Amino acid sequence: MTQHGKTPFLDLVTPHLELEEELVAVFRAALKTAGFIGGPMLEGFEREFAQFCDSPHCVGVASGTDALRFALMAAGVGHGECVITVPNTFIATTEAISQAGAFPEFVDVDEATSNMDVQKLAAYLELECELHPQSKRLISKRSGHPVSAIVPVHLYGQMADMDVILELAQKYNLVVVEDACQAHGAEYFSRAENRWRKAGSMGHAAAFSFYPGKNLGACGEAGAVTTACEQLARKVRMLRDHGQAEKYYHDVEGYNGRLDAVQAGIMRVKLASLADWNEQRRAKAAYYAELFEARVGDAVILPFEAPQCKAVYHLYVIRTEDREQMKTDLAGANIGTGIHYPVPLHLQKAYRGLGYREGDFPVAEKLAAQILSLPMYPNLTSEQQIDVVERIAEHLKASGRSLVTKDAVPAA
Ligand SMILES: *Cc1c(COP(=O)(O)O)cnc(C)c1O
């Protein structure tokens, strides 16, 4: 039996200690040249991250939220339009839509993957929208606003069903901006193209966050837009820098949304490990699945990886009907967990004005009540994983659930 050490939900200390010399060297180089904004560190990171995503262009910005907002604006999403997304995401997705001047509208998610339900998207476009006879624009019957874009969220590190989303977008002439903030390096097998595609390479543009806890994290705030469209990339470059392409000549009003050179340099160092880290996350996910199968059976629902997806497990999210008690028990055993996210956006106070009600998105609501994110990071040890699953097994047994009890724990 393992002793119960501490298993934090996230460990951001170890990976930085391992790279300490290289990371400190970035800061020293910046001090020596005073290259804090723009310059070779930024350009190097943009080039390398674009390559990593199989995308022609990458533009570094100050956060994932900026990336989403600038991508939508640069893609032409305008005032008074509506943008379709999912209710079970971080609020930054819809903040960016609102701050671009548009309104979010939601479609429910698929229960197995937690990602946008593409059948519901098709039904929404077909039945809840109509083509305006004069302008030929697609109008949402719900709000009366023209629909201009779809923002699929690659939640927990697994890509949404992009083939279908892109096909619908083409049919209705909509822009697609991927929210890839949790999906650096995730892959999707496109049936349409008969090849694997990376997150950030499929939509008209994609947004990444490098918030410290993401699969690729800065030592501070950072984000990026990827796109195959040179003009869109140029617009994002202007938006991040006060609307200027040339200093003090402002074509439009923009923002202060640049990516720090030091953060770019730090991420360049970390990017070299990202593919390995993602593989390690996938291995931990597989081991969790083995452990759960041996010790817990089907008393909890495990993450489902769709056959066309290679997920990068930004989060490892299980489902259980007594989530609150399980979370408390795990906390008592020094095991950190999270809930991503406890209240779907359509039921948040901030969005009362949108007029949605409980029951509007039953799948997202059901998931919100059941989900629990377990510790998941590249340096999570198998002892820690065994401890997590044992604790969950004990919790379920104590609460009278019948378990599969094989004695042996699978070796890592
Ligand atoms: C983290 C995240 C964002 C926002 O990124 P920031 O860098 O924190 O602004 C947006 N969408 C999703 C799904 C995220 O997980």
Side-chain angles (χ1 to χ4, degrees):
M1 204 47 233
T2 50
Q3 333 108 320
H4 299 302
K6 215 173 156 66
T7 303
F9 177 61
L10 197 60
D11 175 10
L12 291 179
V13 175
T14 311
H16 294 109
L17 282 179
E18 284 166 2
L19 295 170
E20 189 172 341
E21 285 312 310
E22 284 174 85
L23 297 175
V24 169
V26 168
F27 193 54
R28 284 211 186 89
L31 286 179
K32 287 212 171 97
T33 57
F36 300 126
I37 305 286
M41 281 197 207
L42 175 68
E43 284 155 23
F45 173 71
E46 289 179 337
R47 197 169 51 242
E48 287 160 19
F49 192 68
Q51 220 160 41
F52 179 85
C53 298
D54 289 336
S55 178
H57 307 281
C58 167
V59 184
V61 296
S63 67
T65 312
D66 273 356
L68 280 163
R69 172 156 36 96
F70 297 162
L72 287 165
M73 294 174 81
V77 169
H79 280 266
E81 298 177 342
C82 73
V83 174
I84 302 169
T85 190
V86 290
N88 62 337
T89 176
F90 183 53
I91 192 171
T93 314
T94 46
E95 283 174 332
I97 293 169
S98 308
Q99 290 163 8
F103 299 92
E105 283 192 15
F106 301 111
V107 296
D108 210 351
V109 292
D110 174 66
E111 184 165 339
T113 62
S114 302
N115 277 329
M116 183 177 275
D117 183 328
V118 292
Q119 275 167 351
K120 287 186 186 140
L121 175 66
Y124 178 88
L125 294 168
E126 177 76 29
L127 305 170
E128 308 294 324
C129 300
E130 60 196 349
L131 219 50
H132 189 268
Q134 274 100 52
S135 69
K136 300 279 177 239
R137 298 202 64 177
L138 190 71
I139 309 290
S140 157
K141 292 188 204 169
R142 173 173 203 282
S143 63
H145 299 301
V147 181
S148 58
I150 306 168
V151 179
V153 179
H154 304 325
L155 201 71
Y156 308 150
Q158 169 160 247
M159 286 176 72
D161 198 350
M162 289 300 290
D163 274 353
V164 184
I165 292 167
L166 290 171
E167 196 183 302
L168 288 166
Q170 190 168 26
K171 177 172 169 193
Y172 292 98
N173 197 24
L174 307 173
V175 161
V176 176
V177 173
E178 299 169 63
D179 183 338
C181 288
Q182 301 189 358
H184 322 66
E187 292 180 63
Y188 171 91
F189 188 81
S190 165
R191 285 89 79 200
E193 298 177 62
N194 196 34
R195 63 176 174 132
W196 286 93
R197 301 294 308 259
K198 281 259 184 97
S201 72
M202 294 192 79
H204 297 96
F208 289 89
S209 165
F210 306 116
Y211 188 74
K214 302 294 164 91
N215 287 29
L216 177 62
C219 296
E221 303 274 358
V225 174
T226 56
T227 181
C229 174
E230 196 181 338
Q231 200 189 347
L232 196 151
R234 201 178 321 121
K235 281 189 186 158
V236 173
R237 280 202 177 85
M238 287 179 64
L239 285 168
R240 76 173 172 185
D241 196 19
H242 301 287
Q244 61 189 357
E246 193 187 335
K247 207 166 175 68
Y248 304 132
Y249 290 82
H250 308 272
D251 293 5
V252 291
E253 252 190 15
Y255 297 82
N256 180 345
R258 295 172 300 249
L259 170 60
D260 277 8
V262 171
Q263 297 302 344
I266 281 170
M267 289 192 293
R268 234 178 142 178
V269 170
K270 294 178 73 178
L271 181 57
S273 302
L274 182 55
D276 279 349
W277 287 338
N278 282 343
E279 274 312 311
Q280 286 166 29
R281 285 174 183 270
R282 288 179 57 76
K284 314 279 167 202
Y287 189 47
Y288 262 141
E290 260 185 80
L291 290 169
F292 273 112
E293 202 174 306
R295 303 294 291 144
V296 177
D298 51 15
V300 300
I301 300 174
L302 302 181
F304 171 74
E305 193 169 306
Q308 75 273 15
C309 286
K310 273 189 205 151
V312 291
Y313 293 93
H314 171 58
L315 295 168
Y316 189 84
V317 180
I318 63 165
R319 288 168 57 193
T320 169
E321 276 175 14
D322 71 333
R323 190 258 315 278
E324 295 309 319
Q325 196 52 50
M326 188 183 283
K327 189 173 189 353
T328 307
D329 275 13
L330 289 170
N334 278 325
I335 294 167
T337 58
I339 301 172
H340 302 87
Y341 299 88
V343 181
L345 294 180
H346 69 287
L347 300 178
Q348 295 279 359
K349 209 159 140 190
Y351 290 122
R352 258 187 211 156
L354 293 176
Y356 286 108
R357 277 180 315 214
E358 203 168 326
D360 282 347
F361 304 104
V363 178
E365 290 168 26
K366 177 176 166 186
L367 292 174
Q370 298 182 343
I371 48 179
L372 186 64
S373 309
L374 302 182
M376 168 53 79
Y377 33 91
N379 51 299
L380 183 69
T381 66
S382 36
E383 289 73 26
Q384 287 175 313
Q385 291 192 273
I386 291 168
D387 187 34
V388 170
V389 176
E390 287 297 331
R391 278 293 166 156
I392 289 175
E394 280 166 30
H395 161 84
L396 290 166
K397 218 184 295 174
S399 56
R401 304 291 293 264
S402 57
L403 303 181
V404 179
T405 37
K406 299 177 190 161
D407 287 329
V409 157

mmCIF file of all heavy atoms in Angstrom, residues 62-68 88-93 95 153-156 179-182 207-211 214 221-223 314-315 341, ligand 1:
data_model
loop_
_atom_site.group_PDB
_atom_site.id
_atom_site.type_symbol
_atom_site.label_atom_id
_atom_site.label_comp_id
_atom_site.label_asym_id
_atom_site.label_seq_id
_atom_site.Cartn_x
_atom_site.Cartn_y
_atom_site.Cartn_z
ATOM 1 N N ALA A 62 -1.027 38.688 -25.863
ATOM 2 C CA ALA A 62 -0.817 38.753 -24.422
ATOM 3 C C ALA A 62 -1.554 37.679 -23.619
ATOM 4 O O ALA A 62 -1.229 37.438 -22.462
ATOM 5 C CB ALA A 62 -1.207 40.146 -23.916
ATOM 6 N N SER A 63 -2.570 37.033 -24.207
ATOM 7 C CA SER A 63 -3.319 36.001 -23.476
ATOM 8 C C SER A 63 -4.168 35.217 -24.465
ATOM 9 O O SER A 63 -4.343 35.628 -25.621
ATOM 10 C CB SER A 63 -4.256 36.645 -22.439
ATOM 11 O OG SER A 63 -5.285 37.377 -23.099
ATOM 12 N N GLY A 64 -4.740 34.126 -23.993
ATOM 13 C CA GLY A 64 -5.669 33.358 -24.814
ATOM 14 C C GLY A 64 -6.930 34.159 -25.110
ATOM 15 O O GLY A 64 -7.512 34.044 -26.196
ATOM 16 N N THR A 65 -7.339 34.957 -24.147
ATOM 17 C CA THR A 65 -8.533 35.793 -24.341
ATOM 18 C C THR A 65 -8.294 36.795 -25.467
ATOM 19 O O THR A 65 -9.152 36.978 -26.336
ATOM 20 C CB THR A 65 -8.881 36.533 -23.029
ATOM 21 O OG1 THR A 65 -8.868 35.594 -21.953
ATOM 22 C CG2 THR A 65 -10.242 37.189 -23.115
ATOM 23 N N ASP A 66 -7.134 37.448 -25.454
ATOM 24 C CA ASP A 66 -6.776 38.356 -26.559
ATOM 25 C C ASP A 66 -6.743 37.594 -27.878
ATOM 26 O O ASP A 66 -7.206 38.098 -28.908
ATOM 27 C CB ASP A 66 -5.387 38.975 -26.329
ATOM 28 C CG ASP A 66 -5.461 40.244 -25.479
ATOM 29 O OD1 ASP A 66 -6.584 40.676 -25.146
ATOM 30 O OD2 ASP A 66 -4.392 40.793 -25.161
ATOM 31 N N ALA A 67 -6.200 36.392 -27.859
ATOM 32 C CA ALA A 67 -6.087 35.599 -29.091
ATOM 33 C C ALA A 67 -7.476 35.351 -29.682
ATOM 34 O O ALA A 67 -7.697 35.528 -30.885
ATOM 35 C CB ALA A 67 -5.372 34.277 -28.806
ATOM 36 N N LEU A 68 -8.420 34.957 -28.826
ATOM 37 C CA LEU A 68 -9.788 34.708 -29.306
ATOM 38 C C LEU A 68 -10.425 35.993 -29.832
ATOM 39 O O LEU A 68 -11.027 36.021 -30.902
ATOM 40 C CB LEU A 68 -10.648 34.168 -28.156
ATOM 41 C CG LEU A 68 -10.495 32.682 -27.818
ATOM 42 C CD1 LEU A 68 -11.059 32.383 -26.434
ATOM 43 C CD2 LEU A 68 -11.211 31.825 -28.866
ATOM 44 N N ASN A 88 -20.280 24.831 -22.050
ATOM 45 C CA ASN A 88 -19.375 24.261 -21.038
ATOM 46 C C ASN A 88 -17.927 24.621 -21.370
ATOM 47 O O ASN A 88 -17.114 23.768 -21.706
ATOM 48 C CB ASN A 88 -19.532 22.745 -20.951
ATOM 49 C CG ASN A 88 -19.162 22.064 -22.250
ATOM 50 O OD1 ASN A 88 -19.210 22.690 -23.299
ATOM 51 N ND2 ASN A 88 -18.770 20.807 -22.184
ATOM 52 N N THR A 89 -17.630 25.893 -21.267
ATOM 53 C CA THR A 89 -16.255 26.333 -21.509
ATOM 54 C C THR A 89 -15.920 27.412 -20.492
ATOM 55 O O THR A 89 -16.773 27.849 -19.722
ATOM 56 C CB THR A 89 -16.080 26.847 -22.952
ATOM 57 O OG1 THR A 89 -14.731 27.368 -23.114
ATOM 58 C CG2 THR A 89 -17.057 27.947 -23.301
ATOM 59 N N PHE A 90 -14.647 27.815 -20.490
ATOM 60 C CA PHE A 90 -14.227 28.924 -19.645
ATOM 61 C C PHE A 90 -14.822 30.209 -20.215
ATOM 62 O O PHE A 90 -14.961 30.349 -21.433
ATOM 63 C CB PHE A 90 -12.690 28.977 -19.630
ATOM 64 C CG PHE A 90 -12.135 30.040 -18.736
ATOM 65 C CD1 PHE A 90 -12.515 30.123 -17.406
ATOM 66 C CD2 PHE A 90 -11.218 30.965 -19.225
ATOM 67 C CE1 PHE A 90 -12.004 31.110 -16.581
ATOM 68 C CE2 PHE A 90 -10.692 31.946 -18.405
ATOM 69 C CZ PHE A 90 -11.084 32.017 -17.081
ATOM 70 N N ILE A 91 -15.150 31.132 -19.357
ATOM 71 C CA ILE A 91 -15.870 32.335 -19.777
ATOM 72 C C ILE A 91 -15.085 33.173 -20.794
ATOM 73 O O ILE A 91 -15.681 33.970 -21.543
ATOM 74 C CB ILE A 91 -16.281 33.200 -18.557
ATOM 75 C CG1 ILE A 91 -17.290 34.278 -18.988
ATOM 76 C CG2 ILE A 91 -15.054 33.795 -17.869
ATOM 77 C CD1 ILE A 91 -17.918 35.043 -17.851
ATOM 78 N N ALA A 92 -13.773 32.979 -20.879
ATOM 79 C CA ALA A 92 -12.981 33.746 -21.852
ATOM 80 C C ALA A 92 -13.510 33.555 -23.278
ATOM 81 O O ALA A 92 -13.455 34.482 -24.097
ATOM 82 C CB ALA A 92 -11.517 33.341 -21.784
ATOM 83 N N THR A 93 -14.027 32.362 -23.571
ATOM 84 C CA THR A 93 -14.557 32.093 -24.912
ATOM 85 C C THR A 93 -15.659 33.106 -25.255
ATOM 86 O O THR A 93 -15.655 33.699 -26.342
ATOM 87 C CB THR A 93 -15.139 30.665 -25.002
ATOM 88 O OG1 THR A 93 -14.219 29.736 -24.417
ATOM 89 C CG2 THR A 93 -15.424 30.274 -26.439
ATOM 90 N N GLU A 95 -16.437 35.903 -23.418
ATOM 91 C CA GLU A 95 -15.967 37.292 -23.226
ATOM 92 C C GLU A 95 -15.401 37.823 -24.533
ATOM 93 O O GLU A 95 -15.666 38.956 -24.934
ATOM 94 C CB GLU A 95 -14.874 37.352 -22.148
ATOM 95 C CG GLU A 95 -15.390 37.254 -20.736
ATOM 96 C CD GLU A 95 -14.250 37.176 -19.723
ATOM 97 O OE1 GLU A 95 -13.150 36.683 -20.073
ATOM 98 O OE2 GLU A 95 -14.455 37.593 -18.584
ATOM 99 N N VAL A 153 -14.812 24.588 -29.133
ATOM 100 C CA VAL A 153 -13.793 24.554 -28.078
ATOM 101 C C VAL A 153 -13.246 23.127 -28.006
ATOM 102 O O VAL A 153 -14.024 22.182 -27.878
ATOM 103 C CB VAL A 153 -14.412 24.948 -26.716
ATOM 104 C CG1 VAL A 153 -13.356 24.894 -25.617
ATOM 105 C CG2 VAL A 153 -15.037 26.338 -26.785
ATOM 106 N N HIS A 154 -11.932 22.983 -28.129
ATOM 107 C CA HIS A 154 -11.316 21.647 -28.017
ATOM 108 C C HIS A 154 -11.104 21.364 -26.533
ATOM 109 O O HIS A 154 -9.992 21.485 -26.013
ATOM 110 C CB HIS A 154 -9.985 21.600 -28.763
ATOM 111 C CG HIS A 154 -10.079 21.987 -30.228
ATOM 112 N ND1 HIS A 154 -11.160 21.679 -31.017
ATOM 113 C CD2 HIS A 154 -9.204 22.648 -31.024
ATOM 114 C CE1 HIS A 154 -10.944 22.123 -32.253
ATOM 115 N NE2 HIS A 154 -9.768 22.722 -32.276
ATOM 116 N N LEU A 155 -12.170 20.980 -25.872
ATOM 117 C CA LEU A 155 -12.165 20.934 -24.411
ATOM 118 C C LEU A 155 -11.318 19.790 -23.861
ATOM 119 O O LEU A 155 -11.351 18.678 -24.389
ATOM 120 C CB LEU A 155 -13.606 20.826 -23.903
ATOM 121 C CG LEU A 155 -13.813 21.263 -22.449
ATOM 122 C CD1 LEU A 155 -13.667 22.771 -22.294
ATOM 123 C CD2 LEU A 155 -15.178 20.822 -21.933
ATOM 124 N N TYR A 156 -10.629 20.078 -22.792
ATOM 125 C CA TYR A 156 -9.781 19.118 -22.048
ATOM 126 C C TYR A 156 -8.628 18.583 -22.892
ATOM 127 O O TYR A 156 -7.945 17.645 -22.493
ATOM 128 C CB TYR A 156 -10.601 17.920 -21.527
ATOM 129 C CG TYR A 156 -11.842 18.282 -20.731
ATOM 130 C CD1 TYR A 156 -12.969 17.458 -20.730
ATOM 131 C CD2 TYR A 156 -11.893 19.443 -19.963
ATOM 132 C CE1 TYR A 156 -14.101 17.765 -20.001
ATOM 133 C CE2 TYR A 156 -13.027 19.768 -19.228
ATOM 134 C CZ TYR A 156 -14.128 18.922 -19.251
ATOM 135 O OH TYR A 156 -15.257 19.240 -18.523
ATOM 136 N N ASP A 179 -11.197 27.421 -30.514
ATOM 137 C CA ASP A 179 -10.659 27.714 -29.193
ATOM 138 C C ASP A 179 -9.785 26.520 -28.824
ATOM 139 O O ASP A 179 -10.271 25.503 -28.331
ATOM 140 C CB ASP A 179 -11.770 27.935 -28.168
ATOM 141 C CG ASP A 179 -11.216 28.306 -26.793
ATOM 142 O OD1 ASP A 179 -10.038 27.994 -26.525
ATOM 143 O OD2 ASP A 179 -11.953 28.903 -25.977
ATOM 144 N N ALA A 180 -8.483 26.682 -29.121
ATOM 145 C CA ALA A 180 -7.518 25.600 -28.889
ATOM 146 C C ALA A 180 -6.723 25.861 -27.614
ATOM 147 O O ALA A 180 -5.622 25.347 -27.439
ATOM 148 C CB ALA A 180 -6.592 25.472 -30.094
ATOM 149 N N CYS A 181 -7.290 26.661 -26.716
ATOM 150 C CA CYS A 181 -6.571 27.073 -25.501
ATOM 151 C C CYS A 181 -6.210 25.904 -24.592
ATOM 152 O O CYS A 181 -5.361 26.040 -23.722
ATOM 153 C CB CYS A 181 -7.393 28.104 -24.733
ATOM 154 S SG CYS A 181 -7.435 29.706 -25.556
ATOM 155 N N GLN A 182 -6.877 24.750 -24.772
ATOM 156 C CA GLN A 182 -6.539 23.570 -23.949
ATOM 157 C C GLN A 182 -5.963 22.451 -24.811
ATOM 158 O O GLN A 182 -5.896 21.311 -24.355
ATOM 159 C CB GLN A 182 -7.817 23.059 -23.246
ATOM 160 C CG GLN A 182 -8.455 24.100 -22.348
ATOM 161 C CD GLN A 182 -9.585 23.544 -21.481
ATOM 162 O OE1 GLN A 182 -9.936 22.374 -21.564
ATOM 163 N NE2 GLN A 182 -10.145 24.394 -20.642
ATOM 164 N N ALA A 207 -7.144 30.055 -31.526
ATOM 165 C CA ALA A 207 -6.589 30.779 -30.386
ATOM 166 C C ALA A 207 -5.979 29.803 -29.398
ATOM 167 O O ALA A 207 -6.591 28.779 -29.062
ATOM 168 C CB ALA A 207 -7.695 31.584 -29.702
ATOM 169 N N PHE A 208 -4.771 30.126 -28.951
ATOM 170 C CA PHE A 208 -4.087 29.348 -27.916
ATOM 171 C C PHE A 208 -3.832 30.227 -26.699
ATOM 172 O O PHE A 208 -3.553 31.421 -26.843
ATOM 173 C CB PHE A 208 -2.738 28.828 -28.429
ATOM 174 C CG PHE A 208 -2.866 27.732 -29.449
ATOM 175 C CD1 PHE A 208 -2.959 28.033 -30.795
ATOM 176 C CD2 PHE A 208 -2.897 26.397 -29.048
ATOM 177 C CE1 PHE A 208 -3.079 27.017 -31.742
ATOM 178 C CE2 PHE A 208 -3.013 25.378 -29.990
ATOM 179 C CZ PHE A 208 -3.114 25.683 -31.331
ATOM 180 N N SER A 209 -3.909 29.614 -25.533
ATOM 181 C CA SER A 209 -3.523 30.284 -24.291
ATOM 182 C C SER A 209 -2.253 29.630 -23.774
ATOM 183 O O SER A 209 -2.106 28.413 -23.862
ATOM 184 C CB SER A 209 -4.620 30.122 -23.235
ATOM 185 O OG SER A 209 -4.115 30.447 -21.947
ATOM 186 N N PHE A 210 -1.361 30.453 -23.243
ATOM 187 C CA PHE A 210 -0.172 29.907 -22.580
ATOM 188 C C PHE A 210 -0.170 30.287 -21.106
ATOM 189 O O PHE A 210 0.869 30.541 -20.499
ATOM 190 C CB PHE A 210 1.114 30.392 -23.278
ATOM 191 C CG PHE A 210 1.126 30.113 -24.762
ATOM 192 C CD1 PHE A 210 1.151 31.158 -25.674
ATOM 193 C CD2 PHE A 210 1.081 28.808 -25.247
ATOM 194 C CE1 PHE A 210 1.151 30.918 -27.043
ATOM 195 C CE2 PHE A 210 1.079 28.550 -26.614
ATOM 196 C CZ PHE A 210 1.115 29.603 -27.518
ATOM 197 N N TYR A 211 -1.353 30.388 -20.542
ATOM 198 C CA TYR A 211 -1.498 30.537 -19.091
ATOM 199 C C TYR A 211 -0.672 29.418 -18.449
ATOM 200 O O TYR A 211 -0.592 28.317 -19.006
ATOM 201 C CB TYR A 211 -2.993 30.406 -18.754
ATOM 202 C CG TYR A 211 -3.347 30.718 -17.338
ATOM 203 C CD1 TYR A 211 -3.357 32.036 -16.877
ATOM 204 C CD2 TYR A 211 -3.679 29.696 -16.440
ATOM 205 C CE1 TYR A 211 -3.679 32.320 -15.559
ATOM 206 C CE2 TYR A 211 -4.009 29.982 -15.120
ATOM 207 C CZ TYR A 211 -4.006 31.293 -14.683
ATOM 208 O OH TYR A 211 -4.324 31.577 -13.388
ATOM 209 N N LYS A 214 -1.492 25.607 -18.657
ATOM 210 C CA LYS A 214 -1.844 24.958 -19.929
ATOM 211 C C LYS A 214 -0.730 23.984 -20.347
ATOM 212 O O LYS A 214 0.365 24.035 -19.802
ATOM 213 C CB LYS A 214 -2.092 26.012 -21.023
ATOM 214 C CG LYS A 214 -3.211 27.015 -20.673
ATOM 215 C CD LYS A 214 -4.587 26.352 -20.599
ATOM 216 C CE LYS A 214 -5.605 27.211 -19.887
ATOM 217 N NZ LYS A 214 -6.363 28.105 -20.704
ATOM 218 N N GLU A 221 1.552 35.557 -18.330
ATOM 219 C CA GLU A 221 0.426 35.488 -19.269
ATOM 220 C C GLU A 221 0.928 35.490 -20.716
ATOM 221 O O GLU A 221 1.878 36.200 -21.040
ATOM 222 C CB GLU A 221 -0.478 36.718 -19.093
ATOM 223 C CG GLU A 221 -1.033 36.916 -17.700
ATOM 224 C CD GLU A 221 -2.313 36.144 -17.453
ATOM 225 O OE1 GLU A 221 -2.811 35.456 -18.382
ATOM 226 O OE2 GLU A 221 -2.804 36.223 -16.310
ATOM 227 N N ALA A 222 0.278 34.716 -21.570
ATOM 228 C CA ALA A 222 0.626 34.743 -22.990
ATOM 229 C C ALA A 222 -0.424 33.991 -23.794
ATOM 230 O O ALA A 222 -1.185 33.181 -23.253
ATOM 231 C CB ALA A 222 2.003 34.099 -23.216
ATOM 232 N N GLY A 223 -0.454 34.280 -25.093
ATOM 233 C CA GLY A 223 -1.378 33.589 -25.997
ATOM 234 C C GLY A 223 -0.896 33.710 -27.426
ATOM 235 O O GLY A 223 0.122 34.372 -27.702
ATOM 236 N N HIS A 314 -5.136 17.888 -21.483
ATOM 237 C CA HIS A 314 -4.917 19.057 -20.634
ATOM 238 C C HIS A 314 -5.544 18.793 -19.272
ATOM 239 O O HIS A 314 -4.967 19.113 -18.233
ATOM 240 C CB HIS A 314 -5.532 20.304 -21.283
ATOM 241 C CG HIS A 314 -5.532 21.483 -20.364
ATOM 242 N ND1 HIS A 314 -4.372 21.971 -19.815
ATOM 243 C CD2 HIS A 314 -6.542 22.231 -19.866
ATOM 244 C CE1 HIS A 314 -4.671 22.992 -19.015
ATOM 245 N NE2 HIS A 314 -5.966 23.157 -19.021
ATOM 246 N N LEU A 315 -6.716 18.174 -19.283
ATOM 247 C CA LEU A 315 -7.373 17.775 -18.036
ATOM 248 C C LEU A 315 -7.820 16.326 -18.168
ATOM 249 O O LEU A 315 -8.161 15.870 -19.259
ATOM 250 C CB LEU A 315 -8.592 18.672 -17.763
ATOM 251 C CG LEU A 315 -8.273 20.149 -17.498
ATOM 252 C CD1 LEU A 315 -9.549 20.982 -17.544
ATOM 253 C CD2 LEU A 315 -7.597 20.319 -16.136
ATOM 254 N N TYR A 341 -16.376 22.873 -15.930
ATOM 255 C CA TYR A 341 -16.575 24.013 -15.053
ATOM 256 C C TYR A 341 -17.878 23.806 -14.294
ATOM 257 O O TYR A 341 -18.782 23.169 -14.820
ATOM 258 C CB TYR A 341 -16.610 25.306 -15.882
ATOM 259 C CG TYR A 341 -15.284 25.480 -16.608
ATOM 260 C CD1 TYR A 341 -15.075 24.920 -17.867
ATOM 261 C CD2 TYR A 341 -14.215 26.117 -15.985
ATOM 262 C CE1 TYR A 341 -13.841 25.028 -18.501
ATOM 263 C CE2 TYR A 341 -12.985 26.237 -16.627
ATOM 264 C CZ TYR A 341 -12.807 25.678 -17.877
ATOM 265 O OH TYR A 341 -11.590 25.761 -18.500
HETATM 266 C C1 LIG B 1 -7.437 29.198 -20.680
HETATM 267 C C2 LIG B 1 -8.573 29.309 -21.615
HETATM 268 C C3 LIG B 1 -8.898 30.515 -22.265
HETATM 269 C C4 LIG B 1 -8.267 31.840 -21.945
HETATM 270 O O1 LIG B 1 -6.943 31.924 -21.904
HETATM 271 P P1 LIG B 1 -6.190 33.076 -21.058
HETATM 272 O O2 LIG B 1 -4.788 32.946 -21.530
HETATM 273 O O3 LIG B 1 -6.368 32.765 -19.626
HETATM 274 O O4 LIG B 1 -6.787 34.386 -21.437
HETATM 275 C C5 LIG B 1 -9.901 30.482 -23.203
HETATM 276 N N1 LIG B 1 -10.594 29.368 -23.491
HETATM 277 C C6 LIG B 1 -10.342 28.203 -22.844
HETATM 278 C C7 LIG B 1 -11.147 26.991 -23.198
HETATM 279 C C8 LIG B 1 -9.335 28.141 -21.882
HETATM 280 O O5 LIG B 1 -9.104 26.991 -21.236
#
